[in-house]
């Protein structure tokens, strides 16, 4: 079992989450050329090693998270909210706390 | 190579089994081969065999980083069937099934292909209609043994399933392919290896490709754990490791993700189940058969997240056990002996690639998802044809990397471009 430290709920079993996928994909603008959409939808780096990926805490707070995980060892390096605003809030909280 | 025959089995039986020699050589790598196949799984070995046997080519090597059949070749649940409905796939898999039917003879090696029927349980009128559509399509396109069974026929064939009306998903019938079944996975790898070796193919184990040198738009040299090997043509058949090789060749991204899939085997039992039975509804996904040694062989879903670790997680153990109990409750006291996982190459539409690549002398065989065991003979057959003739056979034209650019997805499941959903 992978244990994921959710910033909102604490450390939980991965079975509470749904794996989203590669977190580095940037979806192009809606009117971008179809080649750009092809690449974003169909092509993957498929990293063996540290990967940035999305997880949904679907049986918890229901927040989307960005997780850095090693795809070979399953070691988790970092977890932060996927929403950039919330992630920034967390960072300021941490700095204020230090 | 000594050929196996009834006489040789008999003779060795009465002379203490002392007359059997090595089944293939263990050669030193040569500095140059005309064709180098990377990956000594089923697809790499079958490709080498057909390159030599069908096309008469010489000076071929298969490079395997571990031992033969140590990858998915020796880890799968061995189900062979051709009940595919998308154009292209149904012809491809039916060709594969026909090759399976003669494989033990072709290789002079018993692959224990057992056409014991594949029975997919159906649990709603809608599911029966959908299966009837697919199975009628099969009947009209060259797969004659597609049948829909009602409950009475199913109960006659497999009387001990859970037919309770109060089950969460009561069984209402089944989609059946009678020529489908199972085979001995190791024997398939060994049989192709032995056949390829007899045609002069060098099979190099403990030979990992660690780097790839290019000469412009072609591959020139493979750096391996057993030295540099120059190659005229290079073919990848490395299943879940495809992206890593692709990167070594400096080629960037692929429509593939590596996931892990588990399999399970129970303690051996007396004969209990004569068919392959599949249960898939409402989040359950489960398939089982009984091996010749008596172990119940189970399979289920992927572990649900991308991974290169060849070890399975516990939630799937629970899932699979629950599914087993819900359709065959008499298994309740049976102990699971082992579970393991393999590294599967999940593609964006659930269909494979047998194609040329951006490099002139590099060929790709990948994207087998859950289903590359049954594909083995056809995969090797068409991949060898592609490498030998440097052009895709008509039947594999759409198994290229560009199909998504053309707007084509060969998506049997209708799951969309998310690799983990193509189970
Ligand atoms: C648990 C499980 C159950 C399955 N059940 C079924 C089933 O019931 N029916 C079905 O049809 N299919 C099934 N499959 C799928 C099937 O097993 C695979 O699609 C198929 O075996 C893949 O082809 P292969 O045998 O060539 O792969 P592999 O046996 O994985 O061969 C690839 C080889 O490449 C080698 N390699 C990797 N990198 C390098 C390198 N750098 N240098 C040299 N060698 C390298 C690996 O060591 C490996 O031996 C299942 C798979 C799994 C994991
Ligand atoms: Zn949470």
């Amino acid at each position: 079992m992978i244990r994921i430290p959710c910033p909102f709920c604490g450390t939980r079993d991965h079975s509470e989450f749904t794996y989203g996928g590669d977190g580095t994909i940037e979806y192009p603008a809606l009117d971008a050329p179809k080649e750009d959409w092809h690449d974003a939808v169909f092509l993957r780096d498929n990293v063996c090693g540290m990967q940035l990926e999305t997880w949904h805490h679907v049986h918890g707070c229901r927040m989307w998270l960005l997780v850095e995980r090693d795809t070979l060892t399953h070691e988790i390096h970092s977890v932060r909210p996927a929403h950039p605003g919330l992630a920034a809030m967390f960072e300021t909280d941490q700095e204020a706390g230090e | 190579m000594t050929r196996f025959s009834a006489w040789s089995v008999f003779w060795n039986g009465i002379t203490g089994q002392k007359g059997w020699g090595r089944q293939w050589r263990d050669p030193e790598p040569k500095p140059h081969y005309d064709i180098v196949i990377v990956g000594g799984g089923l697809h790499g070995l079958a490709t080498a065999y057909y390159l030599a046997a069908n096309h008469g080519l010489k000076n071929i090597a298969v490079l395997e980083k571990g031992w033969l059949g140590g990858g998915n070749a020796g880890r799968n649940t061995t189900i062979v069937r051709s009940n595919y409905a998308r154009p292209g796939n149904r012809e491809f898999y039916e060709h594969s099934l026909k090759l399976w039917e003669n494989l033990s003879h072709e290789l002079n090696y018993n692959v224990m292909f057992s056409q014991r029927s594949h029975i997919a349980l159906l649990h709603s009128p809608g599911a029966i209609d959908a299966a009837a559509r697919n199975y009628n399509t099969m009947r009209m396109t060259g797969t004659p043994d597609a049948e829909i069974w009602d409950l009475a026929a199913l109960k006659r064939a497999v009387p001990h399933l859970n037919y309770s009306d109060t089950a969460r998903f009561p069984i209402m019938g089944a989609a059946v392919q009678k020529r489908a079944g199972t085979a001995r996975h190791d024997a398939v790898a060994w049989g192709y290896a032995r056949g390829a070796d007899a045609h002069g193919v060098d099979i190099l184990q403990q030979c990992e490709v660690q780097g790839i040198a290019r000469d412009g738009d072609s591959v020139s040299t493979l750096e391996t754990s057993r030295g540099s090997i120059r190659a005229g043509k290079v073919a990848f058949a490395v299943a879940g490791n495809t992206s890593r090789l692709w990167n070594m060749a400096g080629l960037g991204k692929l429509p593939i993700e590596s996931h892990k899939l588990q399999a399970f085997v129970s303690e051996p039992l007396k004969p209990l189940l004569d068919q392959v039975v599949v249960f898939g509804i409402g989040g359950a996904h489960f398939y089982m058969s009984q091996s010749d040694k008596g172990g119940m062989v189970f399979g289920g879903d992927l572990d649900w997240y991308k991974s290169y670790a060849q070890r399975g997680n516990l939630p799937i153990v629970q899932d699979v056990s629950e599914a087993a109990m819900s359709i065959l409750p008499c298994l309740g006291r049976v102990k699971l002996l082992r579970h393991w996982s393999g590294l599967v190459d999940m593609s964006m539409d659930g269909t494979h690639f047998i194609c040329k690549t951006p490099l002139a002398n590099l060929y790709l065989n990948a994207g087998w998802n859950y289903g590359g065991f049954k594909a083995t003979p056809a995969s090797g057959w068409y991949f060898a044809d592609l490498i030998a003739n440097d052009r895709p056979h008509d039947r594999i034209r759409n198994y290229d990397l560009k199909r998504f650019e053309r707007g084509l997805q060969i998506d049997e499941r209708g799951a969309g471009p998310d690799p983990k959903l193509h189970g």
Side-chain angles (χ1 to χ4, degrees), chain A residues 6-10 17 57 60-63 65:
Chain A
C6 173
F8 303 99
C9 313
F17 299 76
H57 197 181
C61 58
R62 301 191 67 82
M63 297 300 267
L65 306 174

Side-chain angles (χ1 to χ4, degrees), chain B residues 149-232:
Chain B
W149 286 2
D150 61 13
L151 202 50
L154 181 60
K155 282 181 176 170
R156 270 196 302 281
V158 202
H160 47 319
L161 295 178
N162 176 7
Y163 292 107
S164 163
D165 289 336
T166 55
R168 174 69 184 85
F169 298 107
I171 298 169
M172 296 179 66
V176 180
Q177 185 176 23
K178 284 196 171 154
R179 285 155 64 239
T182 61
R184 170 89 200 275
H185 49 16
D186 296 324
V188 182
W190 299 333
Y192 274 121
R194 173 174 171 270
D197 176 86
H199 281 98
V201 172
D202 279 3
I203 294 169
L204 306 169
Q205 300 183 67
Q206 308 295 336
C207 184
E208 177 176 4
V209 174
Q210 296 166 332
I212 295 175
R214 272 169 58 173
D215 179 5
D217 277 345
S218 53
V219 174
S220 55
T221 311
L222 300 172
E223 300 302 339
T224 81
S225 53
R226 295 178 70 180
S228 299
I229 298 177
R230 280 177 293 109

Side-chain angles (χ1 to χ4, degrees), chain B residues 260-293:
Chain B
K260 58 194 163 91
L261 177 63
Q262 301 193 43
F264 307 79
V265 68
S266 78
E267 58 190 328
L269 306 177
K270 293 249 168 75
L272 174 68
L273 189 66
D274 294 337
Q275 303 87 355
V276 176
V277 174
V278 182
F279 171 51
I281 185 171
H285 182 202
F286 175 72
Y287 31 98
M288 69 174 160
S289 64
Q290 188 169 19
S291 79
D292 292 316
K293 281 192 284 188

